[in-house]
Amino acid sequence: MSLKDAVNNAHSRWMNADGPEADTVISSRVRIARNLAGIPFPHLLDGKRSEDVINAVRLAMGNAEASELLGKLELTPLRELSPLDRQILVDKHLISPDLLNNFESKAVVLRDDEVISIMINEEDHLRVQCLLPGLQLKEAWENVDRVDDGLEKTLEYAFSEKLGYLTSCPTNVGTGMRASVMLHLPGLKLTKQLGGVLNAISKLGLTVRGLYGEGTEALGDLFQISNQITLGQSEEEIINNLVSITRQILAQERAARQALYRDRREIIEDHVYRAYGILKYARILTSEEAMRLLSDLRLGMELKLLSGLPARLLNELMVKIRPAFLIKMAGQDLPAYQRDVLRAQLIRKEFEGPAG
């Protein structure tokens, strides 16, 4: 799949809902930050030096020995993409919102299966990420490590024997790794346990962010939980700690769902079926309302109250109902009201078959 295909198709591998613990863990992501030795960090680069970094990565991708580790990659300068296509890459979690700032000096590398993406000249020269469905942090790290080894056959990284990998932000120094899971936590929210759980998480060296990372909202009861510490721990220790805490959260979320179903069954059923009815028949839906209703519907699927709506579809809809993809579908710019109408129409079409 080429980058052109990626921006025309809402689906990505992480949406398949076929990974472990997929009832609660939507996806797992591992990202590493790397910088090239002897070159200033991106915020200090002029246009020519930025191009030097891009060309160095392009050269590394062409290394015959490295290509076996890297897979089929495509490098595209962001200036060659339309604003709409750049935003779709953000909506699909293939690049960060920060990469869109001063995009003229930046680029993206995408593997044909969309499992691997590399951001060039974001906060660091390279940010290599792997995104997989379900709880697959160890597998994501193995993929990223393999790509890192391939690139390092040509590239020389900025590295300190004392500190580890050197990064633009001091909080990334060391391994340069950020590992995260995207969790669906409606049970904890409805039982009013979420605040306590998230507060406890923050005391364990983890941070909680919204759907699109730092500074974004937790739409649809979706939360990203990631490590804060990158220095003084190995990559394996970071991964194992996050997996262990994630499993504890899973147990609490599942217990909360069962308690809701046991003690407030009629209320939960009404909640779920109202969401299904609105999504199936509404003529106008805002993005925020649609995400909330999809969360309710996902809870109903996970409690076996509904069937016939694959989790993969619900994951894809998180991208399809975003403004950028709706405008892409329409082939023209749309004001907010028309996007709300098109969003409802799209969901009605997806829900044409019976569920029950």
Side-chain angles (χ1 to χ4, degrees):
M1 180 180 288
S2 67
L3 191 139
K4 181 179 179 181
D5 294 325
V7 296
N8 284 297
N9 182 359
H11 184 73
S12 268
R13 172 78 177 86
W14 65 266
M15 302 175 192
N16 281 359
D18 57 359
E21 320 294 358
D23 64 311
T24 301
V25 185
I26 306 298
S27 63
S28 297
R29 182 186 70 122
V30 170
R31 184 224 72 200
I32 57 169
R34 297 288 186 263
N35 288 283
L36 305 187
I39 300 180
F41 292 132
H43 67 281
L44 296 174
L45 293 181
D46 57 23
K48 182 182 182 306
R49 298 302 299 275
S50 296
E51 285 300 317
D52 290 342
V53 174
I54 293 172
N55 289 331
V57 176
R58 185 180 283 112
L59 182 64
M61 289 166 50
N63 181 293
E65 187 181 358
S67 63
E68 295 182 12
L69 297 170
L70 299 175
K72 188 176 181 181
L73 299 175
E74 177 184 359
L75 188 153
T76 305
L78 286 193
R79 62 177 177 270
E80 295 181 5
L81 298 174
S82 70
L84 207 58
D85 290 346
R86 293 195 292 268
Q87 184 59 50
I88 288 173
L89 292 177
V90 172
D91 292 346
K92 294 180 72 171
H93 297 273
L94 298 176
I95 65 173
S96 70
D98 286 345
L99 195 69
L100 302 189
N101 299 327
N102 302 314
F103 65 86
E104 296 88 352
S105 60
K106 301 177 181 180
V108 59
V109 177
L110 191 62
R111 201 165 80 182
D112 57 349
D113 60 1
E114 298 188 24
V115 166
I116 296 290
S117 61
I118 305 171
M119 294 177 281
I120 304 177
N121 291 332
E122 193 224 39
E123 190 176 86
D124 296 285
H125 294 145
L126 287 88
R127 289 201 162 182
V128 182
Q129 79 163 25
C130 176
L131 197 54
L132 292 173
L135 185 56
Q136 298 193 77
L137 285 168
K138 294 178 181 179
E139 294 82 356
W141 161 237
E142 290 169 0
N143 276 318
V144 165
D145 192 34
R146 192 157 45 245
V147 173
D148 192 35
D149 288 345
L151 293 172
E152 203 166 12
K153 292 185 180 298
T154 302
L155 303 175
E156 182 185 355
Y157 291 144
F159 184 82
S160 162
E161 291 295 336
K162 181 179 179 180
L163 297 175
Y165 293 101
L166 303 180
T167 57
S168 178
C169 180
T171 60
N172 289 321
V173 168
T175 61
M177 173 193 277
R178 293 287 180 182
S180 66
V181 287
M182 187 193 300
L183 304 179
H184 183 227
L185 304 176
L188 291 173
K189 183 177 179 180
L190 288 170
T191 57
K192 304 189 185 307
Q193 300 177 67
L194 186 60
V197 170
L198 299 186
N199 184 54
I201 288 171
S202 66
K203 296 177 181 178
L204 295 172
L206 301 179
T207 186
V208 182
R209 295 187 169 100
L211 182 58
Y212 289 95
E214 189 171 0
T216 63
E217 295 179 80
L219 297 171
D221 300 326
L222 294 167
F223 300 85
Q224 287 193 50
I225 298 175
S226 65
N227 65 297
Q228 283 183 301
I229 299 169
T230 62
L231 184 63
Q233 291 184 336
S234 69
E235 291 89 350
E236 289 75 15
E237 288 172 329
I238 292 171
I239 294 292
N240 289 337
N241 182 54
L242 183 53
V243 168
S244 174
I245 293 172
T246 298
R247 291 197 180 282
Q248 294 177 48
I249 298 171
L250 294 185
Q252 291 176 283
E253 170 64 23
R254 288 166 179 162
R257 292 177 188 177
Q258 292 305 314
L260 286 168
Y261 191 60
R262 181 186 64 244
D263 302 332
R264 296 156 58 183
R265 179 168 179 170
E266 291 80 6
I267 294 175
I268 294 301
E269 287 180 341
D270 185 70
H271 213 54
V272 169
Y273 285 111
R274 280 179 185 272
Y276 176 68
I278 294 171
L279 289 168
K280 188 173 175 66
Y281 297 108
R283 263 45 187 176
I284 301 172
L285 283 171
T286 66
S287 181
E288 292 77 10
E289 182 184 17
M291 285 295 292
R292 176 176 57 78
L293 294 169
L294 287 170
S295 174
D296 293 342
L297 197 63
R298 191 188 297 274
L299 176 61
M301 299 293 295
E302 290 155 356
L303 289 173
K304 310 297 189 225
L305 296 175
L306 287 171
S307 61
L309 292 170
R312 168 177 168 150
L313 170 61
L314 301 185
N315 292 340
E316 285 183 2
L317 282 172
M318 290 194 295
V319 174
K320 285 185 174 181
I321 65 174
R322 299 286 292 176
F325 202 83
L326 291 172
I327 293 170
K328 184 84 171 180
M329 284 178 53
Q332 60 180 328
D333 196 12
L334 298 173
Y337 175 77
Q338 289 185 15
R339 293 200 304 268
D340 294 347
V341 171
L342 182 57
R343 182 178 295 111
Q345 179 183 329
L346 182 152
I347 293 175
R348 288 200 311 274
K349 184 176 180 180
E350 296 285 6
F351 283 21
E352 282 178 350

